[in-house]
Amino acid sequence: SRKVDFWKARKVIEETFEGLDENNEVLKQFPKKEKMLEFLGDFETALNKYMAQSFIGAKGSEIFTERNSMRVKFAVDFFKKYPATLEKKIEKPIIIIGLHRTGSSMVQRLLSLDPKANGSPLWKLTADPLNDSYESACASVVKDYTFEAITPSFQRFLCDYHPMPPNVPDEDLLLLFPFFNCSEDHMMHFAPKCGEAEKFMNASRIEAFQFLKRWLQMWSVKENKLVRYGEADPDRHWVLKNPANGYAIENLLKEFPDARLVFTHRAFSDCVKSLAGLKLAIAAPLTDSKKFDSHRIGVNTVDLEEVLAKKTMDFHKAHPERNDFHITHGEVMNDPIGTVRAIYESFSIPFTEEYHELLKKFVEETPPVPSKVKKCLSHFGLTEEMISTDTTREYDEHFVNGKGKKQ
């Protein structure tokens, strides 16, 4: 297969910062252009090295990356026009962190239903606030996340495993990828533990969190004509979710020091089975299945999740004074409304009757759907003994089996 070339994305980034000198106040509040181009080059190199394992292929990677380079342009252009937006405070966001497949998406959707919450639906993650309408922004979502022109199989995958309608909140990784070295989970899909994946996993993500704050500011002011329903009111709080934030929680809190963190947990082996199964489900319709080694997918899934488990444990041990909220996958699925009520009580957030009614309606209209993902370790050449380490056992004992889960 041909090599990836991100020249179009590079061109957009170069043109976005053209004419801005280093002393420009807007420029100083954004990640440096050179750093973004460096991250882009790292990702391009790694993709080309492991393109045989790529789920989307060269064309898909180029199109997705070019479109995301436009997100950077949209934000810079907005702040150039409305520089006072830099003063907007982002206070007490609720940020959901957890290993992959732990119920974090469900928690995000539940918490985003609060009329006092600002969520991150896909149409916002892709919109140009200076030039889009709500309708054109929603159309952009369909264009960006079906990839119909690239492979209809990917569209079928999204319908079966991960629907992405415009109004449903999703994780900020879709906004940040791939310019801010936050794409380690993509890298771990493509290759076994390797230098490139290690570089992504251990990145500081400082630039990612810096850009994320700019994006939140842009969607919290009335100058943004797409802001609706009182979203610029000062008493609103943001709800965000991204498992990759768990790799650099300390740096996340440097940008959002008063963030209220919600950690979602699940038995380590269940996380591995579910995530590895999802990766295989993605790979099957998009590529020649002979290119994919099930065991390889299983092993690098274990690597990915074990690092997240360790960093979660390390943060928890380093900050016994914090009032973070911890919840298990089973608790979320068995009692979603009770989960939300407990989160609100923990953070002293008013739980209104209006919000309660919205939650009940959502739960009634969103029945549990049996997973289509294969969840058997043996399918990936793994056993419980093979994936059990001191880290994973400690993680399960502390967060899943109940000891010390809540303080």
Side-chain angles (χ1 to χ4, degrees):
S1 60
R2 71 174 180 83
K3 289 187 174 295
V4 168
D5 188 347
F6 289 152
W7 70 270
K8 289 184 179 179
R10 286 192 184 87
K11 183 179 179 182
V12 171
I13 297 298
E14 292 279 4
E15 292 176 350
T16 295
F17 291 94
E18 189 175 359
L20 291 175
D21 63 55
E22 293 185 359
N23 295 319
N24 182 283
E25 286 303 314
V26 170
L27 183 63
K28 287 194 290 187
Q29 299 302 319
F30 276 82
K32 291 186 179 298
K33 174 188 70 175
E34 293 76 15
K35 197 69 175 176
M36 283 190 274
L37 294 174
E38 177 189 334
F39 292 157
L40 191 62
D42 288 343
F43 195 64
E44 182 181 72
T45 298
L47 276 178
N48 282 326
K49 187 172 183 178
Y50 298 104
M51 183 50 66
Q53 294 289 315
S54 172
F55 295 160
I56 301 175
K59 183 179 179 183
S61 299
E62 289 165 356
I63 290 176
F64 191 68
T65 302
E66 180 191 359
R67 290 175 185 166
N68 265 25
S69 68
M70 296 301 296
R71 320 296 182 232
V72 177
K73 181 180 187 305
F74 297 159
V76 173
D77 287 350
F78 185 88
F79 278 88
K80 284 163 62 177
K81 186 171 183 179
Y82 301 109
T85 305
L86 291 168
E87 304 303 318
K88 178 66 178 179
K89 294 185 182 301
I90 304 299
E91 297 180 332
K92 297 183 178 180
I94 297 177
I95 302 180
I96 305 157
I97 301 174
L99 276 64
H100 299 82
R101 314 295 289 172
T102 55
S104 57
S105 292
M106 175 60 79
V107 174
Q108 181 188 28
R109 294 183 184 187
L110 292 167
L111 295 179
S112 296
L113 289 170
D114 187 349
K116 290 294 185 181
N118 283 347
S120 54
L122 276 173
W123 75 267
K124 284 186 184 178
L125 294 173
T126 62
D128 176 359
L130 292 180
N131 298 299
D132 270 339
S133 65
Y134 170 71
E135 291 74 20
S136 64
C138 290
S140 176
V141 171
V142 175
K143 182 179 181 182
D144 282 6
Y145 294 104
T146 58
F147 287 105
E148 188 169 7
I150 306 163
T151 165
S153 298
F154 193 68
Q155 186 177 15
R156 291 196 298 273
F157 159 76
L158 290 175
C159 291
D160 288 344
Y161 295 98
H162 191 67
M164 299 173 78
N167 282 309
V168 172
D170 218 304
E171 58 193 62
D172 52 71
L173 177 65
L174 299 174
L175 172 75
L176 302 171
F177 165 81
F179 294 100
F180 304 103
N181 235 24
C182 61
S183 311
E184 78 303 318
D185 49 344
H186 292 80
M187 277 309 310
M188 292 292 283
H189 288 188
F190 304 148
K193 203 167 186 179
C194 61
E196 288 86 354
E198 286 291 292
K199 183 172 183 178
F200 280 86
M201 274 198 295
N202 292 317
S204 71
R205 285 169 179 74
I206 290 172
E207 292 82 8
F209 302 140
Q210 184 182 21
F211 183 76
L212 178 59
K213 185 173 182 179
R214 300 289 85 78
W215 185 86
L216 295 178
Q217 289 174 318
M218 181 173 70
W219 283 96
S220 301
V221 295
K222 293 178 180 178
E223 286 76 11
N224 182 341
K225 302 306 180 185
L226 293 177
V227 166
R228 309 182 301 164
Y229 311 131
E231 291 173 331
D233 292 349
D235 61 343
R236 307 278 288 219
H237 63 265
W238 279 92
V239 176
L240 302 169
K241 167 248 175 179
N242 182 354
N245 287 340
Y247 289 101
I249 305 173
E250 300 282 3
N251 287 335
L252 174 70
L253 291 175
K254 289 178 182 177
E255 206 65 58
F256 305 101
D258 60 355
R260 297 173 284 200
L261 302 185
V262 175
F263 288 85
T264 54
H265 303 288
R266 191 179 189 179
F268 185 81
S269 64
D270 288 339
C271 292
V272 170
K273 287 182 282 189
S274 185
L275 183 58
L278 182 62
K279 291 178 185 179
L280 199 60
I282 298 173
L286 298 182
T287 61
D288 178 357
S289 60
K290 293 179 182 178
K291 294 179 181 178
F292 280 84
D293 180 341
S294 299
H295 181 63
R296 187 182 209 179
I297 289 177
V299 169
N300 60 34
T301 298
V302 173
D303 289 343
L304 173 70
E305 296 305 285
E306 186 175 0
V307 171
L308 269 178
K310 184 178 188 307
K311 294 203 172 188
T312 300
M313 286 296 309
D314 289 347
F315 177 80
H316 185 71
K317 292 175 182 177
H319 297 281
E321 78 288 353
R322 288 189 58 86
N323 185 38
D324 301 321
F325 192 88
H326 296 264
I327 193 77
T328 66
H329 179 272
E331 289 168 328
V332 174
M333 298 304 169
N334 292 331
D335 186 8
I337 296 178
T339 294
V340 172
R341 190 184 291 277
I343 292 171
Y344 271 47
E345 288 178 357
S346 177
F347 294 139
S348 300
I349 304 173
F351 186 82
T352 65
E353 186 58 33
E354 180 186 12
Y355 182 27
H356 189 205
E357 291 300 318
L358 290 170
L359 287 170
K360 288 197 295 185
K361 186 173 185 291
F362 174 82
V363 172
E364 290 169 0
E365 296 177 354
T366 314
V369 178
S371 176
K372 299 179 182 180
V373 175
K374 293 180 180 178
K375 297 179 181 177
C376 180
L377 286 178
S378 61
H379 189 81
F380 303 96
L382 300 172
T383 65
E384 293 284 352
E385 291 73 22
M386 290 170 66
I387 69 172
S388 178
T389 67
D390 289 343
T391 295
T392 64
R393 287 190 295 271
E394 183 181 13
Y395 173 85
D396 282 349
E397 184 67 14
H398 194 80
F399 292 119
V400 181
N401 298 332
K403 291 185 178 180
K405 183 166 69 74
K406 295 175 183 174
Q407 294 187 351

